[in-house]
Amino acid sequence: MPLAARLLLAFGLVAIIATAFVGLTLREASREIIESGFADRIDAAHAGVRQQLAWEAEALRDLLPPFCQHDTFVDKAHVELERAKGDPDAMDPTSRIALRRLVPSQAKALRLDELSLVAGNGSVLAAEDASRIGARDPRLAEAIKAPGGAPRLRPANAGGEPSLEVHCALSRHGVTIGLVGARRIGPVLARIGDAYHVRLTAAPEGRPAPRSGEAEVVRVLDVPEIPGLDVVASVSREPLRQALARLDRSIALTGATVLAIALGIAVVLARSLSRPIAALARETREVMSGAPRRVEGRGGREIADLAAAFNATIDELAAMRKRLAATERIAARREVARQIAHEIKNPLAPIRAAVETLRRLRQREDPAFDDYFEEATSTVLNEVHRIANIVTEFTRFARLPAPNPEPVDLVAIARGVVTLHAAPAGEETGGTGGAASPRVELVAEPIPRVSADRDQLIQVLTNLVQNGLEAAGAVRRDPRVSVTIGPLPNDRVRIVVRDNGPGVAEDMVPRLFEPYATSKEKGTGLGLAIAQRIVFEHGGEIGYRKAQKGGAVFEIWLPVGGPPLLEKPPGDTTVRPRAPDVP
């Protein structure tokens, strides 16, 4: 990555990280402040609710008793009910009409939401709500029998809204009449909630307490001044979301500004630093492509030190270049000579022994000369043929042509190789035994046509199948080889060649694809090296693993699109064997 790009990236990352850190810290602090503001508002509303409801309860305590003690309309109602011997239906209609008009006006004067004049049996004689007149309410009958005093909570399930309820009663001559008044809690909670921007509601009796969520903050408040009353305070989180959204926009705008400034500084700094380095690099490339010469470092002490070190290195390299070239040529010739000598040395030994034996027999005119002549010449010819094969294999490896790709049917190619080697052992040797299963089988899934060199793929498959048959045939009477072809992701196909032999010896696995490495007595060790080179030049991979149930497994991965355009064969591309993972 160029220095300018690195500086831009570094400054950009610093600006982004710093902005993100400060922004997140500020955002979290703002969230905590706003959340604490919610808590403070709820606490203030809690105090206001307790104070207001305590005042309401105190005001209601002494509101009705005077009416039952010495108020004329309660006395008149009691007299009328006493005349009717306690039966509300037997009361004078005129008196009942007057009571119906009087009670609503008294409720309004006392600022009561409900006011009922109740007979001892619970019959409503008059009320601010005309629909309730004449109804019999056992709860009211029980209420006026109880001693008066502090207001009590009337829950919602007792009728209407949660309210503070008070009463008084007048009993004389066996006739009881009472006043029951109520003031709703909801308006009081709404008024206090509006003052503190908190929504306050009476907690529903018998239901689980609500909990805070993403939409709002919820807390259940206890009001000890009113036994049994719980108030639910909730504050919407919408202001918090809006505030955080505004803060996020401000942080993003600030971050973009800081990033732009940082990138501008990075550009200026990169230009001042990269120009002398680019000039030095240009001079260095010129030196490496032409005759050695000294370069000049401009732009700072570090650049000058770098140029001086480079010049010293060039002086050393200039002196070593010729010696290195000569040494490389000598080393290459020695390596080729060593490899060829190693491969030809073994065939020369039996040839020499055969010729020396013939010479000794000839010199002493041994009668066995004629008998041994045929054997010796046959040995010489076989070993000469072996040397010729070695030379041919070396030549094939050194002159292996580049792939000539064309769209081919990989399954058809594999089927041809399998058919060629699939005949059972009895048929190949001309045996007349019973029918035997094929030695080589093919399992193929549908795959697209592959761009590859047909002849070279046949060479690879033939080599792997023959190696598998030879390895399995050395230890088993029923050698088997299976070839599996299937698709892979990313436009690739896979070829798996598996045999039932002993597998590759552990000491040979690291050198399996190296040239001249072989465990066969008559092998040159070039078969797998040639196969690997063909696979690599097709842009694929080849690997070996030992199956869990025994045998060797070779896997080939080829791209469907064909080999890459290479100007020359790859260098050291040996694939290391993989650990066994599939049986």
Side-chain angles (χ1 to χ4, degrees), residues 229-545:
L229 176 63
D230 288 330
V231 177
V232 178
S234 59
V235 179
S236 174
R237 292 182 183 270
E238 185 61 28
L240 172 62
R241 288 195 292 268
Q242 294 178 357
L244 292 180
R246 292 193 299 269
L247 182 60
D248 290 341
R249 289 193 293 270
S250 300
I251 292 174
L253 180 60
T254 303
T257 304
V258 172
L259 180 61
I261 295 174
L263 293 180
I265 296 175
V267 169
V268 175
L269 186 60
R271 287 181 178 178
S272 63
L273 293 178
S274 61
R275 283 178 180 174
I277 296 177
L280 180 61
R282 183 177 60 255
E283 293 184 7
T284 303
R285 287 193 296 271
E286 293 175 357
V287 169
M288 298 305 296
S289 60
R293 62 180 177 83
R294 300 179 66 83
V295 298
E296 297 182 6
R298 307 179 185 88
R301 186 179 63 184
E302 293 80 4
I303 302 299
D305 293 341
L306 177 60
F310 179 80
N311 290 331
T313 304
I314 285 297
D315 293 338
E316 293 289 336
L317 292 178
M320 296 175 59
R321 180 178 293 178
K322 293 182 179 180
R323 296 197 302 269
L324 180 60
T327 303
E328 288 180 348
R329 287 195 296 270
I330 294 173
R333 291 168 183 169
R334 286 179 177 177
E335 179 63 18
V336 172
R338 185 191 66 81
Q339 293 173 354
I340 295 177
H342 175 75
E343 295 297 330
I344 296 180
K345 182 178 180 180
N346 292 335
L348 289 178
I351 293 175
R352 179 178 179 179
V355 173
E356 289 178 349
T357 302
L358 285 175
R359 287 173 60 86
R360 288 196 302 269
L361 295 176
R362 179 62 177 171
Q363 288 176 0
R364 62 175 180 239
E365 296 181 356
D366 194 313
F369 176 82
D370 294 333
D371 296 333
Y372 183 72
F373 181 81
E374 182 64 26
E375 179 183 352
T377 54
S378 177
T379 300
V380 171
L381 290 176
N382 289 337
E383 296 303 323
V384 169
H385 180 67
R386 181 180 174 188
I387 293 175
N389 287 339
I390 293 173
V391 174
T392 300
E393 290 294 328
F394 274 109
T395 304
R396 287 177 58 194
F397 181 70
R399 297 182 180 179
L400 184 66
N404 183 21
E406 60 180 355
V408 297
D409 186 348
L410 185 58
V411 176
I413 292 175
R415 186 176 294 111
V417 175
V418 168
T419 302
L420 182 63
H421 297 83
E427 295 181 10
E428 286 188 348
T429 58
T432 58
S437 59
R439 298 189 304 167
V440 186
E441 59 180 359
L442 173 65
V443 179
E445 300 178 22
I447 60 171
R449 296 179 71 86
V450 179
S451 180
D453 189 310
R454 176 186 298 271
D455 294 335
Q456 291 189 1
L457 290 187
I458 292 175
Q459 183 178 356
V460 172
L461 289 175
T462 300
N463 181 275
L464 295 179
V465 170
Q466 288 180 349
N467 285 350
L469 290 174
E470 291 176 2
V475 296
R476 304 175 65 101
R477 299 184 61 183
D478 58 337
R480 293 285 183 269
V481 174
S482 65
V483 180
T484 305
I485 298 178
L488 285 177
N490 302 324
D491 292 330
R492 297 185 302 164
V493 296
R494 180 176 65 175
I495 306 172
V496 180
V497 180
R498 180 185 286 105
D499 62 58
N500 62 347
V504 179
E506 292 297 330
D507 58 338
M508 280 295 299
V509 171
R511 303 184 297 117
L512 187 59
F513 293 100
E514 294 180 3
Y516 325 119
T518 180
S519 59
K520 300 178 183 178
E521 295 181 358
K522 298 183 179 180
T524 61
L526 293 176
L528 289 179
I530 293 175
Q532 184 197 51
R533 180 171 177 178
I534 291 174
V535 171
F536 283 163
E537 290 187 355
H538 276 76
E541 299 178 17
I542 182 172
Y544 163 80
R545 58 180 169 82

Side-chain angles (χ1 to χ4, degrees), residues 48-307:
V49 165
R50 293 184 59 182
Q51 181 180 5
Q52 183 65 28
L53 290 181
W55 182 86
E56 293 284 348
E58 186 65 25
L60 288 173
R61 178 191 299 272
D62 302 323
L63 189 64
L64 294 182
F67 285 89
C68 294
Q69 293 173 2
H70 47 73
D71 191 82
T72 57
F73 95 88
V74 176
D75 288 339
K76 290 181 180 180
H78 185 272
V79 170
E80 292 294 332
L81 185 61
E82 187 177 353
R83 289 176 181 176
K85 298 181 181 181
D87 185 5
D89 295 333
M91 291 178 63
D92 179 46
T94 304
S95 299
R96 295 183 65 176
I97 293 174
L99 290 175
R100 292 179 182 178
R101 293 178 178 177
L102 185 59
V103 169
S105 63
Q106 289 292 340
K108 186 175 181 181
L110 297 175
R111 294 189 302 108
L112 293 175
D113 297 309
E114 299 178 13
L115 182 62
S116 302
L117 182 63
V118 184
N121 61 356
S123 295
V124 179
L125 304 177
E128 94 293 343
D129 184 3
S131 63
R132 299 173 54 232
I133 298 176
R136 179 171 294 183
D137 191 342
R139 188 185 66 82
L140 295 179
E142 293 294 330
I144 62 176
K145 292 179 182 178
R152 61 185 176 276
L153 175 67
R154 189 189 72 186
N157 56 12
E161 302 177 11
S163 306
L164 291 178
E165 190 176 72
V166 293
H167 74 279
C168 69
L170 175 62
S171 297
R172 284 196 305 247
H173 307 294
V175 177
T176 301
I177 193 171
L179 279 176
V180 180
R183 186 170 292 170
R184 298 188 185 95
I185 296 177
V188 176
L189 298 180
R191 185 170 63 254
I192 298 175
D194 291 341
Y196 294 100
H197 302 287
V198 178
R199 188 164 65 91
L200 300 174
T201 58
E205 186 177 7
R207 298 182 185 177
R211 297 182 179 181
S212 299
E214 292 294 331
E216 58 184 4
V217 179
V218 180
R219 190 195 300 176
V220 178
L221 309 178
D222 181 34
V223 183
E225 290 78 6
I226 309 296
L229 176 63
D230 288 330
V231 177
V232 178
S234 59
V235 179
S236 174
R237 292 182 183 270
E238 185 61 28
L240 172 62
R241 288 195 292 268
Q242 294 178 357
L244 292 180
R246 292 193 299 269
L247 182 60
D248 290 341
R249 289 193 293 270
S250 300
I251 292 174
L253 180 60
T254 303
T257 304
V258 172
L259 180 61
I261 295 174
L263 293 180
I265 296 175
V267 169
V268 175
L269 186 60
R271 287 181 178 178
S272 63
L273 293 178
S274 61
R275 283 178 180 174
I277 296 177
L280 180 61
R282 183 177 60 255
E283 293 184 7
T284 303
R285 287 193 296 271
E286 293 175 357
V287 169
M288 298 305 296
S289 60
R293 62 180 177 83
R294 300 179 66 83
V295 298
E296 297 182 6
R298 307 179 185 88
R301 186 179 63 184
E302 293 80 4
I303 302 299
D305 293 341
L306 177 60

